[in-house]
Each structure stands twice: as structure tokens, then as C-alpha cells.
Amino acid sequence: MSDAYTWLCEKVQHHLDVIYQGVEIPQSSEEIAKSLINTMRLNEVSTKQMPIPHQNHWSEEDIVLITYGDSIESETQSPLVTLHQFLNKYVKDTINGVHILPFFPYSSDDGFAVIDYSSVNESLGNWLDIKSISSNYKLMSDLVINHCSSRSAWFDNFIKCEGTGSDFFFTVDDDYDISQVVRPRTSDLLRETKTAEGIKKVWCTFSHDQVDFDFQNPKVLAAFVLIIRQYLDHGVRIFRLDAVAFLWKKSGTTCINLEKTHEVIRLLRTLIEYAQNDCIIITETNIPNRENLTYFGNANEAHAVYNFSLPPLLVNTLVTGDCTYLKNWLMSMPPAQNGTTYFNFIASHDGIGLRPAEGLLNEDEINTLVNTMQSFGGMVSWRTLPGGKQKPYEINIALFDALKGTTKGADTLGMERFICAHEIMFALEGIPGLYVHSLLATGNDYERVTNTSQNRSINRRRWNMAELESQLADNTTQHSVALSRINHLLAIRINQKAFHPNATQFTLQLGKNLFGFWRQSIDRRQSIFCISNITDVEQTVVMSDINLIGTDCWWDLITGDEIILDHSDFILAPYQTVWISNTCTV
């Protein structure tokens, strides 16, 4: 037996011992470990080498486009085929990864109430379409691990009290203390469900159509390991663990971020790393910043965590013209050690989360941000606190409309403000995730909100491919301008070693109206000073504040212009960004 295989068996068993400590399970942890390892098709012959610790499976070339499988549709072919054609036509030279949001049969929440994890939604395409996309792009898929649809076969069996799934779901009795539970919804936590064995109270963190799994049952864990193996076989290389923070429950606690949840992630990382070493796990934990960072573990949990505090802080910066809070947050962020990184984004299929701004913006500042977004057509989703009080949970708005003005109102600088947001995000430490409706500068979709009665639909437009191509062919439309300018920025980014996700980052002190940071490549050969005017008036950058080395030549990578050091300062136009580098590689 190889040392690597022996270590794998011992490590998986240790994870299981921690997970099921104090829980009665039908098999020993050793037996469960062997079963999980077999499911991943790992054996003494194939397992010859242990994963190299602290290894980065990413570079400055990695950009992930976030999209639904049907964000772009055509009358003549399946949406996944249309998506693949769009990617190849418009972004193949600048974007190398794609996150296709849940592409499985579902009953609600635009895919996040999964009916069947093992098949592709027929309205989108099939597994061959998924495999085709994964052959050209790094494919990121959701593992909707906390809950599934109440219309799934598993939940049907739960109701019948027989067959696979009959014991998969978390239920409680009247003695279970739920008074401290933290969750992002206002609906009742428990759903009374009539089963063959009587009424059972089923736990529903998000909605009554999304029923939570019971991970105290090893069969649930085994089912998800089998799902992971299937996704690997179809080309998935990035796993997004959806809503994973809520996975483990314990009476009398918040039922969020519990230690056994972290241990489940460690177990999944171990199995995935041995099965496909270049795969990575990203945890989706829309929670306060300090809690979010715990999902790195000691470089043994998530390879990457969503940088959830970035969207509210960056939008707040650009609508107030004051970068104080963004700068303070950036200075507080620990550098991600090798083997881990941040996943940066400023727009998504959901909204601008406000929980990650807790402790970073005070209540008055959050209220001002909410009011400003509402004045630009945004909507607000709420959550219920212990005791019944409601609090804003997220702002639902398209990013292009979120940045159409400032706290003073809408103005004519919306596109410059919008591009500035991306110039900042693309330069930060971490892997950029770019939402398709930001790439295309899609505005608020009120018709879709009316049709679905869901606030989040405001930023989930479905484009007709012919209409979209017509818009993109006209270089005066906001969609064409945004695509062209974003592609220009990405073409620059992917050639800069100083933009490696783990390259050094240092926050610059340039006052409240200029936001800046310095990046240095891992080999220390390239430096880039990233400076943005985050206001609606001109700002002066004083050369002595950034201390460029006089023996080097310096260029603004965005314009290609050389920076003349004998000038004492230079002017940035409203929302202008410069990437000042000692090497000009474009």
C-alpha cells in the first residue's frame, strides 16, 4: 500500500471522526472512509502522490465569467450552445473560465432549488454541451449542498418514508431551540410536512421549497461525494459550495459557521485534491467579513472565498466620493497565503449583500447607500433578526444602474464610474469574477421582476442573441462600449505578473478622494501602482506620494502613455484610473 493512499485513508477517517463525534452512525468511520474513497475512484494503484501543500492553481490569466446557462438565448439552438458561441466570439482571448449557475432541473430560486443533481436541465441542453464548454474554459459549477427542492425524488421519498432520501432531511421537534438561529430570510424557518409517519417539521433556511439536508446522516455526505465525482467526470474544475455556512445545525446555536461545517469542507477538499489535483473549492458565504475569512482554515478548507465585502464598499465609495471605508477594509485584509486566494466580484446574480458590510459601514451609512440605490431603481431584500425585527439583507439592482450617479443624484458620468469599478476590481489581489450583465452593461430588468415577483430578477435579464449582437455591433451603445472597454482592461491584466492573485499588495495613503494600492509580482520584477479618482471632479496625484523609482521607466498600462517623472504631479479626470508599471507588457 502506497504511503499516499495510507495517508489519504487516515486523513479521511480523521475528518469523519471529527464530523460525527457525538453522533450515532450505522458504520464505523473507517468503513465510511473506504466507501467515500472508492466512490471517488481512488485506490492503492492510482493514489501514488500526496497533493503538494500551498500550491497555487491559478495565475494572472484566470478570469471567470459568471452567467446563467440561459442568460443569452437563441430561437434556433439550446442556450448552452448559444452561450458557448458567445464566449468564443466575444471573450475567448480575455476570459478563460466560466461559472454556469445551476444548470440542473429545479423548481424555484432560478436554479438553487435543485430537483435532480445528476442531470442537466433539458431547457438548457445536456451533459455533452457542458463537456464541450469545459473543453475550452475552466468550468465552475455550483454544488448546492445545503438544501434541495421539495419536488425532488429524495423529498418525495421522505414524505413516503421509504427509499433513498427518506432520511436525508433535517427535522426538529418542539424541544429544539431555534431562538438563536441566523438566516437571511423572513419566511418561517420550519415547514410542517405531512408524511407517512405523521407531521414532521422540516428545516428550511431559505424557503419552504428549499429543504435542508441532514448531514448528521452519513448517507447524505456519501450522496454528495458521488455527485462531486460525476461533476469531475464532466469537466468541472471549480466547485462553488453554495450556502455552505448553514450546513450543520445544533440546538441553541446560530446554526451558521459551526465547526463541523468547516470539517465537512476540509473532507471534501481532501477527496477532491486527491481525485483531481488542479481542482479548487470556493465557498459562498455571504456573511460578515471576519467570519468569511475563517473558511480559508489553515490553507486546508476553501482554496478561495468570495470577497463579499467588496461590492457594498466599492459601490459606496463611488457614490459618496470617499474611499475611507474601502481603504480601511483593504488594509485590514490579510494576504492570502499560497494555496488560497480571494474571489473578487462586484456584481452577481443575487444583489449587493449588506451583511458583509456590517462592522465596516455604520447603520447611517448603510441606510444612505440603500436610499441612493433605491433612487436609481433598486430594490431591497430583508432578513429577520432573532426577536422578529427586520433588517436590510441585500440591495437588488444592476451594477450599471447602481453607478449611474452619486448620493447627489444621477449624472452623465455613469459609464466612467462603472468602468472605474472594474479597473479597481481587476487589479486587486485575487481572481476576478465578472458577471455577464456587467460585461454587457445590462440595466435593471423591471419586466422580469414583474413576471417573477422576485426582487433578484432585476439583474437576471435573458438576452436574445440576435438582439444582443445588434447592440454590440453598434459601437455607440452602452453594451458595446462596456464590452470593448472591459475586454481592453482584461487583455492588459492577463499579461501582468504583478496581477497574479497572490502577488504582493500594499494600500496607498492618498487621502479620501484617491483610492490606490501597489502590486508587486512574486519574482519582484514588476511593480504596478493602481490609482483611481473615485470622485466626480478632477483630482491631483502628487508624485512624491507614490515614490516611483527614478532609475526605472514608468508607463500607464491602460493608455500606454509614459509617465514623466520630472513632473511634480498629474491630474486624473473624474473616475479615471491609472495602472502605472515599470514594465509595459500589453
Side-chain angles (χ1 to χ4, degrees):
M1 186 179 296
S2 69
D3 290 342
Y5 184 76
T6 299
W7 175 245
L8 170 63
C9 293
E10 291 176 351
K11 192 172 184 181
V12 171
Q13 185 176 338
H14 170 73
H15 290 311
L16 293 168
D17 286 338
V18 174
I19 292 168
Y20 296 116
Q21 183 180 10
V23 178
E24 290 187 19
I25 52 177
Q27 296 173 285
S28 69
S29 58
E30 181 179 5
E31 291 172 316
I32 298 171
K34 288 180 179 179
S35 176
L36 298 180
I37 290 168
N38 288 337
T39 297
M40 293 296 282
R41 298 200 294 273
L42 299 167
N43 54 52
E44 298 176 39
V45 176
S46 64
T47 309
K48 297 179 180 180
Q49 184 175 352
M50 289 181 278
I52 300 171
H54 303 289
Q55 188 173 22
N56 295 327
H57 300 295
W58 44 79
S59 75
E60 61 278 2
E61 298 179 9
D62 288 311
I63 314 289
V64 177
L65 184 73
I66 305 165
T67 179
Y68 281 101
D70 58 0
S71 290
I72 305 170
E73 299 176 305
S74 169
E75 294 86 355
T76 59
Q77 58 195 10
S78 67
L80 287 174
V81 172
T82 302
L83 172 62
H84 199 175
Q85 290 179 352
F86 170 83
L87 293 170
N88 288 342
K89 182 173 182 178
Y90 292 104
V91 297
K92 69 181 178 65
D93 295 327
T94 53
I95 291 175
N96 67 350
V98 58
H99 173 201
I100 306 177
L101 290 153
F103 47 80
F104 319 104
Y106 70 95
S107 56
S108 64
D109 199 15
D110 278 357
F112 287 92
V114 178
I115 293 175
D116 179 10
Y117 289 84
S118 64
S119 61
V120 175
N121 188 338
E122 290 182 356
S123 68
L124 298 178
N126 54 44
W127 280 116
L128 289 177
D129 298 324
I130 293 294
K131 194 69 180 285
S132 178
I133 292 173
S134 73
S135 68
N136 296 129
Y137 300 89
K138 294 183 180 180
L139 179 60
M140 179 170 166
S141 172
D142 291 275
L143 190 67
V144 186
I145 195 170
N146 179 71
H147 52 263
C148 74
S149 169
S150 66
R151 290 173 50 192
S152 64
W154 286 344
F155 198 68
D156 284 345
N157 288 342
F158 169 82
I159 291 172
K160 293 184 290 188
C161 299
E162 62 181 28
T164 302
S166 61
D167 53 356
F168 275 21
F169 298 95
F170 196 81
T171 62
V172 299
D173 56 28
D174 292 337
D175 294 331
Y176 201 94
D177 181 4
I178 63 172
S179 63
Q180 301 303 310
V181 171
V182 171
R183 55 193 288 265
R185 295 294 185 271
T186 57
S187 58
D188 291 337
L189 174 63
L190 303 178
R191 162 187 164 156
E192 290 193 352
T193 303
K194 186 177 180 180
T195 76
E197 296 177 352
I199 299 293
K200 295 186 178 181
K201 295 181 178 180
V202 182
W203 194 286
C204 300
T205 297
F206 293 93
S207 78
H208 284 191
D209 186 43
Q210 293 165 293
V211 285
D212 283 34
F213 291 111
D214 182 4
F215 272 85
Q216 295 186 38
N217 180 357
K219 293 180 186 177
V220 176
L221 180 61
F224 273 93
V225 171
L226 182 60
I227 291 165
I228 289 170
R229 180 64 264 177
Q230 181 185 14
Y231 292 2
L232 287 171
D233 292 340
H234 286 100
V236 173
R237 291 298 176 264
I238 307 173
F239 288 89
R240 176 186 184 269
L241 303 190
D242 175 66
V244 70
F246 303 94
L247 183 141
W248 200 271
K249 284 82 172 170
K250 184 178 180 181
S251 179
T253 72
T254 60
C255 297
I256 185 172
N257 305 323
L258 299 187
E259 177 54 33
K260 292 193 176 186
T261 292
H262 287 278
E263 196 65 40
V264 170
I265 298 170
R266 294 179 196 123
L267 167 63
L268 297 181
R269 173 163 176 163
T270 295
L271 291 170
I272 289 172
E273 279 190 330
Y274 273 86
Q276 186 73 44
N277 184 244
D278 62 347
C279 274
I280 69 172
I281 289 173
I282 301 181
T283 48
E284 188 268 334
T285 48
N286 193 353
I287 52 180
N289 190 58
R290 187 179 298 275
E291 298 170 27
N292 190 36
L293 293 175
T294 65
Y295 284 86
F296 279 139
N298 185 23
N300 61 350
E301 288 187 41
H303 295 87
V305 299
Y306 272 76
N307 228 341
F308 274 107
S309 296
L310 179 59
L313 290 179
L314 183 50
V315 171
N316 181 73
T317 292
L318 290 167
V319 300
T320 63
D322 184 343
C323 69
T324 301
Y325 301 102
L326 179 64
K327 181 170 62 177
N328 289 344
W329 166 75
L330 195 66
M331 288 190 295
S332 73
M333 292 293 282
Q337 59 180 304
N338 283 330
T340 66
T341 191
Y342 295 104
F343 188 75
N344 295 324
F345 72 107
I346 48 177
S348 75
H349 61 288
D350 290 337
I352 301 171
L354 295 175
R355 284 214 72 205
E358 292 177 8
L360 302 172
L361 296 175
N362 64 40
E363 190 169 336
D364 287 342
E365 289 152 350
I366 289 176
N367 288 337
T368 298
L369 178 61
V370 168
N371 292 336
T372 303
M373 294 300 99
Q374 287 179 313
S375 74
F376 297 155
M379 301 174 177
V380 180
S381 295
W382 302 81
R383 67 185 179 98
T384 301
L385 303 176
K389 182 181 178 182
Q390 292 192 353
K391 190 173 184 179
Y393 171 67
E394 71 179 13
I395 302 166
N396 305 112
I397 190 169
L399 184 66
F400 189 78
D401 283 331
L403 297 174
K404 69 193 298 183
T406 68
T407 53
K408 295 177 289 188
D411 58 29
T412 60
L413 294 169
M415 179 61 76
E416 299 310 315
R417 198 178 289 110
F418 177 76
I419 294 299
C420 179
H422 289 89
E423 289 166 332
I424 291 171
M425 192 260 281
F426 292 156
L428 286 169
E429 174 189 359
I431 299 171
L434 176 62
Y435 188 40
V436 66
H437 291 305
S438 295
L439 175 72
L440 300 171
T442 307
N444 292 335
D445 189 343
Y446 299 110
E447 181 179 355
R448 188 161 172 78
V449 172
T450 300
N451 292 339
T452 65
S453 300
Q454 300 293 324
N455 287 357
R456 286 178 166 178
S457 296
I458 199 170
N459 197 20
R460 298 179 180 180
R461 177 174 177 172
R462 290 177 179 168
W463 275 101
N464 174 273
M465 183 65 164
E467 178 191 357
L468 177 60
E469 288 193 309
S470 175
Q471 291 288 321
L472 296 179
D474 180 352
N475 61 15
T476 65
T477 68
Q478 68 189 49
H479 316 294
S480 177
V481 171
L483 176 65
S484 176
R485 293 185 67 175
I486 287 173
N487 266 334
H488 171 67
L489 293 170
L490 292 178
I492 297 169
R493 177 199 154 84
I494 62 178
N495 285 297
Q496 313 308 318
K497 295 295 184 182
F499 284 156
H500 185 285
N502 294 88
T504 297
Q505 179 171 287
F506 181 80
T507 308
L508 302 176
Q509 302 300 318
L510 303 173
K512 69 177 185 179
N513 301 137
L514 292 169
F515 178 65
F517 50 94
W518 170 71
R519 303 294 309 279
Q520 185 183 58
S521 60
I522 294 172
D523 64 10
R524 300 186 179 183
R525 293 181 180 179
Q526 184 185 28
S527 289
I528 303 178
F529 290 85
C530 309
I531 304 171
S532 299
N533 175 1
I534 47 85
T535 76
D536 57 3
V537 296
E538 289 183 346
Q539 297 291 334
T540 300
V541 179
V542 179
M543 279 292 193
S544 60
D545 287 344
I546 55 177
N547 194 28
L548 301 181
I549 299 173
T551 56
D552 289 347
C553 295
W554 297 88
W555 292 266
D556 173 19
L557 297 174
I558 296 176
T559 63
D561 295 338
E562 186 174 359
I563 303 297
I564 307 301
L565 295 185
D566 59 2
H567 293 179
S568 60
D569 52 40
F570 60 93
I571 304 296
L572 290 184
Y575 305 108
Q576 182 185 353
T577 293
V578 288
W579 290 344
I580 302 174
S581 174
N582 60 339
T583 61
C584 192
T585 306
V586 180

